[in-house]
Structure formats: structure tokens, C-alpha cells
Amino acid sequence: MIKRELPGVIENPNEPVEDENKNVAPIWSMRIAGGLLDLLLIFLITFGLNNLFMNTPMADSYHAYRNEIIDVQDYYKLQPLVPGSEETYGHMVIITPENAQEYSGYRKHNLDGSDVEYVVVNNESIDIKVYEAYNKAVSEDATYKKAHFNYRFIAFGITSLAAGITELILIFAIPMLNKRSATIGQLLGGTQVIHNKLPGRAKWYQLLGRFFVVFIIETELFYLLLNAWTLIVAPVVTYLVCLTNEKRKTFHDFLTGTRIITKESFEPLVSRDDK
């Protein structure tokens, strides 16, 4: 390609120059398709690991705090909390061989001084005053507040561990093991990751940086702020950034000095001296 220089302008001969037909950014549909596939894999593997961890000793405290929360809730469900009214939020059901299966998922309690078990079931119709009094009593209970905080904290930790392992594999390890420095979604979507300025594929530290940005900012921070809505909002924000620039760069591309191109257009950058 012939490059014209403006009169009087001295360009750096060592600065890489790029053919406009090489290292081309993918069209938005290619970028989003690969990203959605990666997102689906991250969700499925994280969900699987999270369920696995929840059935190990590391989740014993999680289950214990969950039971404390239910114990407090069940206690107030049986209390008449509205002055002048005997109406309660729930009622007691004694467990029998006939209904044991129906209430198998409920927290079971023992009647005082006996082996008889019961569960607490919400009433079918609940007066708004009873509902508000119940929520107020539970939210102000010191045991509930402490147990709820610890329960959420442990749940966040276990989910973060599952997500961290998943993203470390999919966003760092797999790109390190293939010549295109690409995730599974990018491999199948016909794209790859390159260094934004230097010749060739992305460097190992850039791939590691991409993992940390995705994990800490685009996963953990969004999860802390939005909880379950993270799965919807985070990808939308990521791809809105992607669509606002010509090279289809996302937030983690800008921070790590990388970009995505179509695999067919890849050509290592060279200096003007080599052209």
C-alpha cells in the first residue's frame, strides 16, 4: 500500500503501519455472537460449580445461616403482630406420613418437648397490615439481620469463587493455549485477540489483564450493585461500549491495550522500514 506523507511532516519510521484491509474489526453481529456464546458458557459452568460447592463442607455455614433466617421468619409468621387482631402471616402444619412429601422442602421444627415435626406455611390471604407488620418485625430482628448478612456474604464468596475459576479458564487459560489468543466464543465466531500496537497476538499479561478486568469490574462489581440483573446489564453495557467505536473495542480492550479482529484479516504489524 502506498502511503502519502504531507509536506513538511516527518513521521516516525519505527511506528507500526497497518494496511486498512488487514487486522479488520469484526462486524457488530460477529462480536456479539461470540460474546454471547462466552457469556452462556460462563453462566453454565459457574452455575454448575456453584451447585457443586454448595454441597461441600465450605457451604456448611451458608446452610446454617439460612436455617437461622427461616427460623426467625417462621417464628414471626405465627405471631399476631397487629394490635387488636389475632390474624397471623402463616399457620402451623403437623408433618404426617401422608403429607411428608408435599412439605419436604420446608424447614421442619419440633413441637416443644416432643418428636412431632411441623412446618410453617403462609396463609392464602394476608391482610396488608399483617404483611407490613411481619416484614417490619423480621427486618428489625437482630438475629435475622446478623444471619442475613453472613448468609449473603458467604453466598457471594462461593459464587465469586465459582465465577473466578470459570473465567480464569475461559478468558485466560484457553486464549493462552491457542494461537489466536481467543476465547471459545471468539474461536467459533471467527475472531481473535491481538495487541493494539505491537506485532502479533496479545501478550500473556494482556490476557491476564483481560481476565482481571472482566472478573473484578464486569462481574464482581456489577454483581455487588445489581445482583441477578448482572447477567442482563453487564453484557448490554459491554456491547454498547463496543458499538460506540470503530474498532469494536470493549471496556476491557481499552484497559488492556488489545482489540478483536477477524481471523482472516490478521497480519502482524511491521515498521515503515520493512514496508
Side-chain angles (χ1 to χ4, degrees):
M1 182 182 78
I2 299 175
K3 183 169 181 68
R4 297 181 178 179
E5 299 183 1
L6 295 176
V9 177
I10 300 177
E11 300 193 35
N12 183 358
N14 296 317
E15 181 183 346
V17 61
E18 189 173 0
D19 190 316
E20 62 182 7
N21 296 317
K22 299 297 182 180
N23 299 326
V24 178
I27 59 175
W28 67 269
S29 57
M30 289 177 66
R31 189 73 203 270
I32 291 179
L36 289 178
L37 178 56
D38 284 331
L39 181 66
L40 178 62
L41 289 173
I42 288 172
F43 171 75
L44 292 176
I45 297 174
T46 299
F47 181 77
L49 285 177
N50 190 70
N51 283 343
L52 176 64
F53 294 156
M54 285 298 181
N55 291 292
T56 65
M58 75 168 66
D60 287 349
S61 295
Y62 168 86
H63 296 299
Y65 285 121
R66 179 177 179 274
N67 288 337
E68 276 191 48
I69 291 171
I70 296 174
D71 288 344
V72 172
Q73 292 172 331
D74 285 354
Y75 170 79
Y76 286 110
K77 285 179 181 179
L78 298 177
Q79 307 303 312
L81 301 173
V82 177
S85 173
E86 293 299 315
E87 185 178 354
T88 59
Y89 189 90
H91 62 278
M92 183 188 300
V93 175
I94 302 297
I95 298 299
T96 66
E98 290 75 22
N99 66 14
Q101 184 62 36
E102 180 182 355
Y103 297 107
S104 60
Y106 285 71
R107 169 75 169 154
K108 295 179 176 59
H109 310 276
N110 288 95
L111 288 174
D112 294 339
S114 73
D115 294 330
V116 177
E117 292 185 323
Y118 71 91
V119 297
V120 178
V121 180
N122 294 349
N123 293 328
E124 292 185 3
S125 58
I126 302 171
D127 184 88
I128 186 64
K129 291 183 179 179
V130 174
Y131 173 80
E132 291 174 347
Y134 162 76
N135 283 330
K136 184 174 185 294
V138 170
S139 63
E140 293 178 352
D141 186 279
T143 300
Y144 174 84
K145 288 191 286 188
K146 180 180 178 180
H148 189 262
F149 174 83
N150 291 329
Y151 167 80
R152 292 290 303 275
F153 181 79
I154 294 172
F156 176 77
I158 293 176
T159 302
S160 297
L161 177 62
I165 293 173
T166 301
E167 292 179 353
L168 184 64
I169 294 171
L170 296 180
I171 297 175
F172 176 68
I174 290 178
M176 280 292 296
L177 295 175
N178 66 81
K179 293 181 179 180
R180 286 160 53 189
S181 302
T183 63
I184 293 176
Q186 290 161 355
L187 288 170
L188 297 178
T191 60
Q192 69 181 73
V193 184
I194 65 169
H195 196 295
N196 193 41
K197 294 182 179 179
L198 300 180
R201 59 178 286 186
K203 307 300 183 182
W204 69 267
Y205 53 84
Q206 291 178 304
L207 297 176
L208 187 60
R210 287 169 70 89
F211 157 70
F212 279 117
V213 172
V214 171
F215 176 63
I216 295 174
I217 299 178
E218 298 179 14
T219 300
E220 296 294 277
L221 182 60
F222 273 82
Y223 183 73
L224 280 173
L225 297 176
L226 302 169
N227 205 344
W229 286 100
T230 300
L231 290 172
I232 298 175
V233 177
V236 170
V237 172
T238 297
Y239 290 109
L240 281 177
V241 173
C242 172
L243 296 176
T244 57
N245 62 90
E246 186 179 349
K247 292 186 176 181
R248 303 285 185 263
K249 296 175 69 173
T250 61
F251 185 63
H252 49 265
D253 287 319
F254 282 110
L255 288 183
T256 59
T258 57
R259 61 188 171 107
I260 307 298
I261 63 167
T262 59
K263 67 176 182 178
E264 293 83 3
S265 69
F266 174 67
E267 180 179 274
L269 302 181
V270 296
S271 69
R272 286 187 169 84
D273 287 342
D274 297 327
K275 277 302 222 181

